[in-house]
Amino acid sequence: QKEVEQNSGPLSVPEGAIASLNCTYSDRGSQSFFWYRQYSGKSPELIMFIYSNGDKEDGRFTAQLNKASQYVSLLIRDSQPSDSATYLCAVNYMEYGNKLVFGAGTILRVKS
Amino acid sequence: EPEVTQTPSHQVTQMGQEVILRCVPISNHLYFYWYRQILGQKVEFLVSFYNNEISEKSEIFDDQFSVERPDGSNFTLKIRSTKLEDSAMYFCASSVRTGYSNQPQHFGDGTRLSIL
């Protein structure tokens, strides 16, 4: 059973702070990792993806991957109230038709 | 920016009726997917489709479900005899694939299916 685990939160941070969201996965063979943002009642919106160990930065977002620890994280710098949403971690399984296995998501609340 | 479009946005159907959910994937994408999300629960994989055939399906995707690419642009999900537990948001997604690393899947806005 391929599992993706996230802390459900809510994670509350003040405006301007760094939000740190974490995700662990069970399958060592996983190669591709994605962070999606989902506002209530809306569809998942791609934020970041990462394939290699280390950090990947895009604007205020940094994705971090540690395959040895089976751990992927998302840092959001200078958090804004508009960042308040559920953040979904997803792991891709190429050998299973490219399916994404999603975590349950972490609710982030940014307080102004 | 190209996007995945889904119709209808909301579908209300009587239990036991057939329903067809429609999707237009991004035009240069080769892989197509359906996911569903029951209210308050995880996004769950249903099926992936490539080169006019199913690549993978989950245990949810039983004989009541089918997918089709009837023409060069549309991708449909059919539920033959709907049950109350089929009530959920259904998301279509599409992606390209290059080498050993997959490009991300882009999701449509979803169809909210309500079974009465």
Side-chain angles (χ1 to χ4, degrees):
Chain A
Q1 185 76 352
K2 302 186 188 305
E3 300 285 344
V4 178
E5 300 291 338
Q6 295 181 256
N7 188 322
S8 62
L11 172 67
S12 292
V13 300
E15 184 175 357
I18 295 174
S20 177
L21 305 161
N22 305 314
C23 171
T24 58
Y25 59 94
S26 62
D27 190 337
R28 283 194 175 276
S30 305
Q31 295 200 358
S32 309
F33 307 88
F34 303 88
W35 284 99
Y36 288 85
R37 176 174 64 198
Q38 187 175 34
Y39 294 110
S40 181
K42 302 296 185 182
S43 65
E45 175 192 5
L46 180 71
I47 298 296
M48 291 283 294
F49 57 94
I50 187 166
Y51 305 138
S52 304
N53 275 329
D55 294 0
K56 179 182 177 183
E57 187 174 317
D58 183 1
R60 296 189 295 115
F61 300 96
T62 299
Q64 299 174 316
L65 175 61
N66 183 326
K67 289 188 176 183
S69 300
Q70 295 173 239
Y71 175 92
V72 58
S73 64
L74 179 70
L75 301 178
I76 306 174
R77 288 181 297 281
D78 187 24
S79 296
Q80 301 298 309
S82 58
D83 294 326
S84 297
T86 299
Y87 288 80
L88 308 178
C89 174
V91 179
N92 176 267
Y93 292 92
M94 289 170 51
E95 67 273 30
Y96 294 102
N98 294 335
K99 74 175 184 181
L100 289 177
V101 176
F102 282 85
T106 299
I107 297 169
L108 173 66
R109 293 184 182 148
V110 181
K111 298 182 176 179
S112 56
Chain B
E1 184 173 324
E3 57 183 29
V4 177
T5 57
Q6 290 186 244
T7 56
S9 58
H10 190 190
Q11 175 79 46
V12 181
T13 302
Q14 292 288 332
M15 186 173 59
Q17 295 297 305
E18 175 182 287
V19 65
I20 297 176
L21 309 182
R22 302 181 192 281
C23 169
V24 179
I26 295 173
S27 62
N28 64 334
H29 285 188
L30 302 177
Y31 282 80
F32 314 120
Y33 314 86
W34 285 100
Y35 293 82
R36 80 172 185 189
Q37 186 175 31
I38 295 170
L39 187 63
Q41 298 188 21
K42 292 183 182 184
V43 176
E44 301 174 286
F45 169 80
L46 292 178
V47 65
S48 60
F49 190 87
Y50 170 71
N51 200 24
N52 283 319
E53 60 183 25
I54 290 174
S55 304
E56 183 73 19
K57 59 183 181 179
S58 72
E59 59 276 8
I60 301 168
F61 194 89
D62 62 20
D63 292 344
Q64 295 300 313
F65 290 85
S66 63
V67 289
E68 190 178 32
R69 187 156 166 82
D71 53 42
S73 59
N74 289 285
F75 179 52
T76 62
L77 174 69
K78 182 194 292 187
I79 309 175
R80 261 179 280 280
S81 178
T82 50
K83 307 182 186 74
L84 293 176
E85 54 265 38
D86 294 328
S87 295
M89 279 289 282
Y90 287 80
F91 296 113
C92 175
S94 68
S95 72
V96 297
R97 177 179 175 179
T98 56
Y100 292 99
S101 295
N102 286 292
Q103 294 299 308
Q105 296 178 24
H106 296 268
F107 284 71
D109 288 341
T111 293
R112 180 172 299 284
L113 178 63
S114 300
I115 308 300
L116 304 180

